[in-house]
Amino acid sequence: MNALQLLSAILVTSCSFLCAVEPVFVPIKIDGPVHDPKKGTFWYGPFSEAAAVFDVNGDGQLDIIYGHGHAYGLGWLEQTPATGGAARKFREHEIAVLPGQFHTLVLADVNQDGHLDLVTGKRLRPHAGTDPSSFDPLGLFWFEIRGGAFVRHALSYNHLPWYSEKERRNPPPNYAIGTGMSILVVDVNQDGKVDIVVGGKSGLYLFMNRGLPPTSPFGG
């Protein structure tokens, strides 16, 4: 019995005494941070911190939308079906040239036209200012997905202050809004329109959906 089989047997035995019958999951590392003892650092590979599976271009094949969490890159991988015994392939497309550090992607019908949109944004300095794009502007965006094209709408876009004497330990900005590890798209005030809630190092913010203009004064 190898180590993986032994771990599975222990988990199954323990669960039979302590919990209700449910599936047992054994973690198997496929890819992830790798420690480099010589440099005392971690390698955060070419994989994405956030991804969503969705038929972007409406061809019946599921594609992958990704955003790099510790580098630049927001794009999607177009799946081409396997034919004649060949392996399926993915073709890379760029969604937009934006600051990096995407840590979450959400698919939701923001404008409530019956089609899913993409909501994402930049996280504030996830590695304390050591990543590429750390001091680029913060932003929160939603994209209409139109047959393979992504139409960008900015919810917030702010530059970050830089204080050279503080090295990388700059103070968090006020009202420079970014994302954290999750975004909620939900009708907060139950007025029939979806709102957007983001929280992270830059603060906790609610984007209240006022609807299409013209709108009444806020609170009216």
Side-chain angles (χ1 to χ4, degrees):
M1 179 181 291
N2 59 33
L4 186 59
Q5 292 170 328
L6 177 60
L7 176 59
S8 180
I10 292 172
L11 289 173
V12 170
T13 303
S14 300
C15 190
S16 64
F17 290 102
L18 300 176
C19 59
V21 177
E22 60 183 40
V24 175
F25 295 88
V26 178
I28 301 173
K29 184 175 182 180
I30 298 174
D31 196 359
V34 179
H35 184 55
D36 184 346
K38 295 180 180 179
K39 298 181 180 179
T41 59
F42 285 85
W43 172 74
Y44 285 86
F47 55 89
S48 171
E49 287 281 344
V53 178
F54 179 67
D55 182 4
V56 171
N57 55 358
D59 64 353
Q61 302 293 322
L62 290 176
D63 309 301
I64 301 173
I65 305 172
Y66 69 87
H68 285 293
H70 299 279
Y72 290 93
L74 179 65
W76 67 284
L77 302 174
E78 178 185 1
Q79 181 180 176
T80 57
T83 57
R88 68 185 65 234
K89 297 181 180 180
F90 290 86
R91 186 157 61 100
E92 188 170 10
H93 300 269
E94 184 177 70
I95 291 177
V97 178
L98 289 170
Q101 305 190 43
F102 300 95
H103 274 68
T104 184
L105 305 174
V106 173
L107 293 174
D109 186 3
V110 175
N111 57 353
Q112 296 177 277
D113 63 353
H115 301 284
L116 290 178
D117 308 300
L118 172 67
V119 185
T120 188
K122 181 188 176 211
R123 189 183 182 198
L124 175 64
R125 299 195 288 266
H127 284 164
T130 61
D131 290 326
S133 178
S134 287
F135 291 94
D136 288 351
L138 278 177
L140 179 67
F141 310 92
W142 70 277
F143 297 82
E144 293 179 75
I145 304 174
R146 298 179 178 175
F150 287 75
V151 181
R152 182 177 64 184
H153 302 269
L155 292 166
S156 177
Y157 191 70
N158 302 87
H159 288 276
L160 293 176
W162 169 255
Y163 304 98
S164 58
E165 70 276 9
K166 296 290 185 180
E167 298 178 348
R168 293 192 177 96
R169 297 181 295 276
N170 276 225
N174 290 321
Y175 269 88
I177 304 171
T179 66
M181 301 297 288
S182 64
I183 298 172
L184 296 178
V185 182
V186 62
D187 184 1
V188 172
N189 58 347
Q190 299 182 345
D191 64 351
K193 300 184 292 292
V194 294
D195 310 298
I196 299 174
V197 184
V198 294
K201 294 181 179 179
S202 56
L204 176 63
Y205 293 90
L206 166 63
F207 286 82
M208 189 71 72
N209 188 344
R210 305 296 314 286
L212 297 175
T215 61
S216 60
F218 187 70

